[in-house]
Amino acid sequence: MTPPLPEESVGDEVRAAPEVRAAPEEQQITKKHDQERKKERDRRDKEQREQKEHLKKKDERIRKLEAENATLKGQVGELREDVGELQKKVEELRNQLNVSEASKAKLSNEKELTEARLVLKGWLMKRGIKGPTAHIWRRRWISLDEESGHLYYYKENSDIHPQGLIDLDMIQGVEEQSPDLQDKNNASFNIITQGRVYELMAHDEITMRSWIQSLETLRNWRKSKASSKSEQRH
């Protein structure tokens, strides 16, 4: 056990031992350490505040972006609806255009058929192939019977009984006469069937071309009509 410190006595007075004080160097070191610790605490506090502020700003930015994203999604949804409506309108217009084009084509075909029906009635010269008048050009009245598809030819336009007929459905081709056999008006043409070539001659080249075009129009129309009926039966 450590013995108590001796007390100094002067006369009858008793005095305590003197207080131990740190040296000035130690005080300065301690003070410096305190200052450094305070600086470190201040630095850490500052960093924490800056980090909190950064996180706060980041959260605000995220919330703002989320709000903008939600707005954009809503706008995209509206745009999709608008696009859908526009696509429907475009499809409707396309259908209307197709109908219009089909109607236009139908009217054009009907116009061509009407013109062809009008052309296929009139006077032509026809070359015979048999008898004493073979290879002689004779004037004949040509008339179309659309129901039967026959092109009848008569001596006179008032005759009831025809001299003969050409079946439109049996025609294989209609073409201009070859140059070496062509007449001076360049108005001769041939109707080719399986059993015979009919040599005909119009008044002029323009009339000849009208007959050729009209014959082709009528026979192609009859082919198309027959094909449609066949498809419907099947």
Side-chain angles (χ1 to χ4, degrees):
M1 183 175 179
T2 303
L5 294 174
E7 295 180 347
E8 296 181 2
S9 58
V10 181
D12 294 335
E13 295 180 0
V14 179
R15 291 181 300 173
E19 183 181 355
V20 180
R21 295 184 178 180
E25 293 83 2
E26 293 178 355
Q27 291 178 354
Q28 290 179 355
I29 291 172
T30 301
K31 184 177 180 181
K32 185 176 181 181
H33 286 171
D34 292 341
Q35 291 175 347
E36 289 177 352
R37 284 196 293 271
K38 184 176 182 302
K39 286 181 180 181
E40 182 65 20
R41 285 195 303 271
D42 292 343
R43 185 184 64 78
R44 287 198 298 269
D45 291 343
K46 183 178 180 182
E47 287 180 354
Q48 290 177 355
R49 288 194 302 271
E50 290 177 349
Q51 188 175 9
K52 287 180 180 179
E53 186 67 23
H54 176 71
L55 290 173
K56 181 180 178 181
K57 290 180 178 179
K58 187 176 181 181
D59 289 341
E60 291 176 353
R61 180 59 178 165
I62 290 172
R63 286 193 295 271
K64 185 177 179 181
L65 289 173
E66 288 175 345
E68 291 176 353
N69 187 42
T71 301
L72 288 174
K73 284 182 178 180
Q75 292 175 349
V76 168
E78 292 176 357
L79 287 174
R80 284 177 178 171
E81 291 179 0
D82 292 342
V83 169
E85 291 296 325
L86 287 174
Q87 287 176 340
K88 288 180 181 178
K89 290 181 179 179
V90 168
E91 189 63 26
E92 289 175 359
L93 290 173
R94 185 179 288 113
N95 292 335
Q96 291 175 5
L97 181 61
N98 291 337
V99 171
S100 177
E101 290 296 329
S103 300
K104 184 178 179 182
K106 184 177 179 180
L107 289 173
S108 177
N109 291 336
E110 290 177 353
K111 180 181 178 182
E112 289 180 0
L113 288 171
T114 301
E115 291 176 350
R117 294 183 185 106
L118 293 173
V119 168
L120 298 180
K121 181 179 288 188
W123 291 104
L124 291 176
M125 300 296 291
K126 176 181 170 295
R127 192 198 294 266
I129 61 170
K130 61 183 179 180
T133 58
H135 307 296
I136 296 175
W137 290 101
R138 287 172 290 187
R139 192 167 178 257
R140 291 290 180 261
W141 175 259
I142 311 295
S143 179
L144 170 69
D145 181 61
E146 188 175 346
E147 184 176 352
S148 64
H150 293 162
L151 199 65
Y152 293 104
Y153 48 92
Y154 304 83
K155 282 187 177 181
E156 300 293 336
N157 58 0
S158 59
D159 288 351
I160 298 175
H161 301 291
Q163 294 292 305
L165 65 89
I166 302 172
D167 190 340
L168 289 177
D169 297 333
M170 301 301 294
I171 294 176
Q172 297 177 341
V174 184
E175 59 186 26
E176 296 182 31
Q177 183 65 273
S178 59
D180 57 322
L181 298 176
Q182 188 60 266
D183 73 292
K184 63 179 182 179
N185 293 326
N186 198 34
S188 299
F189 64 100
N190 298 329
I191 297 178
I192 303 168
T193 66
Q194 187 173 2
R196 178 179 172 181
V197 176
Y198 293 87
E199 296 182 78
L200 302 167
M201 181 169 58
H203 176 69
D204 51 38
E205 183 176 357
I206 294 176
T207 306
M208 175 198 70
R209 294 189 183 279
S210 296
W211 273 84
I212 292 175
Q213 182 179 351
S214 298
L215 285 167
E216 291 289 2
T217 298
L218 258 297
R219 77 187 192 94
N220 288 334
W221 174 76
R222 290 182 63 83
K223 283 182 180 179
S224 177
K225 187 177 179 181
S227 178
S228 298
K229 287 183 178 179
S230 178
E231 290 177 358
Q232 289 175 1
R233 284 196 297 268
H234 294 289

